[in-house]
Structures are given as C-alpha cells and as structure tokens.
Amino acid sequence: MAFICSKGNLDMAYPALIMGNAALGEGVEVHIFFTFWGLDIVNTKTNDKLKFTLSGNTAMHMPDLGRIKPGLEHVSMPQVLGNLPGMTGYATRMMNKQMEEQEIPTVPEFLDLLQASGAHMYACRLTYDMMKLLEADLHPGVEGVISAGDFIDIAEGAQVVFV
Amino acid sequence: MPTNTLNDRTFEVDAEGFLTRRDDWSEDLAADMAALIGIDLSDEHLAILRFMREDSAQTGVTPTLRRIQTVGGFDIKTLFALYPGKPAKKMAWLSGLPKPVGCV
C-alpha cells in the first residue's frame, strides 16, 4: 500500500500512520510519501508540535458538554471559537490527551514504530527544497528525498491512499 | 462452537480458528499449532506468548503489537522476525487468545 501525506495538522497526521501500521501488521508492504505540509510529520523540528484547530472543522464536538445538558455533545462548535486566542493550543492538548487515553503513540513515537515495523518513508523533493529543510532534521526512518516521479514508480500497482 | 483436534488434543475454536476457552491452551498445543504455520516454537517465541496470556488475564483483551512492545518490552523488529507476515494475528492464535481488536 502507498500513502501520500499532504497535511501537517495533528488530526491529519494520524490517518496514514494508523492505517500504515495496520497494513504492516497484516504483512502488507507500506510506502509513505510526505509532501507539502505533510513534511511537518517527518521533520523532527515540528513533528512533536503538530496542532489541531477547530477552524474549518464543522465536525468538532465536545463530549464533556453532554454532562451539562444531554445532546450538547453532538452540537457542532461555533466556528468563531476557533479564532479565539489560545483555542488551537487548547484543542491540541485535548486531542493529544484523547489519543493518549486510547494508547495511541505520539507522532514521533509512531514514526519509530513504523520504521521498526518495516515501513518505507520518503520526503518530497520539491517541497523539501521549497521549504529549505535540512536532511539532518528528518526522522531517521525517512529513506530518502525523492521526486514525485520516483514515488509514482515505487507506488505503481499499489493501492494508493491520499491524505 | 466448533472444536478442533490436533495430535489427540481437542479444543474449542471460533469461526476463524481462534481458541475460545482459555484453559484449553497449553504450551505443547501452541508448539503443535506453530508447526502448522511453519514456526518452530523456541523459548524466545514462547516468552512473548506467555507475556500475552499474563497481560490479557489482567486486561481482558489481547494485547496489540504496540502493547507487547511498550508493556512487555519486546522489540518490534523481533516480533516481525519471529512471527513473519501477520505477527499480531499469529501470536494471538498461538497464545490461545481472541483475535486482537485494537488498531495500534
């Protein structure tokens, strides 16, 4: 299976990491291409600080609100809340806590796990150059900085999942 | 529930062949089952299965690969090397536990 990670938000980092890990556990070969904002997932200067924001996410609910009034836990949070100072930090802490409760590893630990399980990970050459990244900052599980064409070559015939 | 018999040992299994009764399991049975999937069960293999059974006795669920690593202290690469292909399922099957349900 091949995954393309194009987003650098905390909530958009997990899908490919979780599915890739599941695929490895089933004996499936896994290749992950990190491109554009997805490079933040493998950049060790950023991957322990990925953030989750309410802004633009209409599926944002607060399970705890149900204790105040039943039904409130299903209500979509007003979008304006996402723009309040400190709200992104708060939402990020909340999400990290919820993931921890599910025993989901942090993003850096997840990359260690994937590397040990045999995942092949690559950084996108174009965005790597565009964002002026350093090879020393990449997670050691990243095998190389490759072009889109190289990845297409690798992924030929695979199931490709774009995140 | 159907039952399987292997080398004169009878044990109850679910539709996918996982043992359903904890007490049907023994290390000798695990060794015989392992031979069916091409694994020669060594002490190294058994140490993981023993941990899984102890852990599941406490939690009530089959530990995931991640838990076998973080709580059991077994290296992920070792798990893949000892039980190649589908380590979590092979280990759950051989340790007489239900198929693992955790995602990570």
Side-chain angles (χ1 to χ4, degrees):
Chain A
M1 276 187 88
F3 294 89
I4 300 169
C5 291
S6 71
K7 300 285 186 187
N9 296 14
L10 180 63
D11 52 321
M12 296 305 278
Y14 276 116
L17 303 183
I18 293 172
M19 285 187 281
N21 183 60
L24 289 162
E26 292 303 317
V28 176
E29 188 179 320
V30 170
H31 297 265
I32 313 178
F33 188 61
F34 296 90
T35 183
F36 273 83
W37 325 123
L39 280 175
D40 270 16
I41 301 170
V42 284
N43 183 349
T44 55
K45 290 275 166 38
T46 52
N47 68 0
D48 58 340
K49 305 177 197 69
L50 300 185
K51 292 184 174 58
F52 168 55
T53 176
L54 278 65
S55 299
N57 179 14
T58 55
M60 178 71 201
H61 314 290
M62 291 270 283
D64 287 345
L65 288 182
R67 279 189 273 166
I68 299 169
K69 188 180 164 213
L72 274 185
E73 70 271 32
H74 305 304
V75 172
S76 173
M77 291 280 104
Q79 282 295 295
V80 67
L81 282 182
N83 295 333
L84 295 180
M87 193 51 85
T88 297
Y90 172 74
T92 301
R93 279 193 297 280
M94 197 174 92
M95 183 166 183
N96 277 326
K97 187 168 147 264
Q98 288 173 333
M99 294 307 265
E100 200 183 324
E101 282 167 7
Q102 299 299 316
E103 293 185 19
I104 305 290
T106 62
V107 169
E109 281 174 35
F110 222 135
L111 295 172
D112 296 343
L113 178 65
L114 287 166
Q115 181 188 9
S117 306
H120 301 279
M121 300 189 272
Y122 316 94
C124 161
R125 165 61 61 191
L126 172 72
T127 33
Y128 173 90
D129 289 342
M130 193 176 98
M131 296 176 183
K132 300 185 169 51
L133 299 191
L134 299 174
E135 195 139 353
D137 287 342
L138 292 179
H139 185 276
V142 176
E143 291 175 14
V145 183
I146 65 172
S147 71
D150 289 340
F151 185 69
I152 298 298
D153 230 10
I154 290 166
E156 193 179 351
Q159 272 181 294
V160 180
V161 179
F162 182 86
V163 183
Chain B
M1 286 284 182
T3 54
N4 270 351
T5 306
L6 178 63
N7 300 348
D8 294 332
R9 285 190 208 86
T10 300
F11 46 95
E12 198 179 270
V13 294
D14 66 11
E16 292 178 294
F18 289 84
L19 267 67
T20 51
R21 283 193 308 238
R22 226 187 136 75
D23 298 337
D24 283 349
W25 188 85
S26 67
E27 294 190 357
D28 291 339
L29 174 64
D32 288 351
M33 287 167 73
L36 297 177
I37 55 170
I39 292 174
D40 184 11
L41 212 64
S42 66
D43 276 347
E44 213 180 350
H45 286 96
L46 265 172
I48 304 165
L49 305 187
R50 288 186 195 120
F51 162 75
M52 290 174 70
R53 288 185 61 85
E54 282 165 24
D55 186 66
S56 78
Q58 288 167 18
T59 63
V61 294
T62 306
T64 61
L65 287 182
R66 159 101 175 140
R67 190 171 169 86
I68 297 170
Q69 179 203 30
T70 55
V71 180
F74 296 96
D75 183 49
I76 286 281
K77 279 189 181 154
T78 308
L79 301 181
F80 274 89
L82 293 174
Y83 297 97
K86 299 171 184 260
K89 283 187 182 149
K90 283 183 178 175
M91 294 189 300
W93 184 67
L94 288 177
S95 59
L97 299 173
K99 188 165 86 170
V101 291
C103 277
V104 180

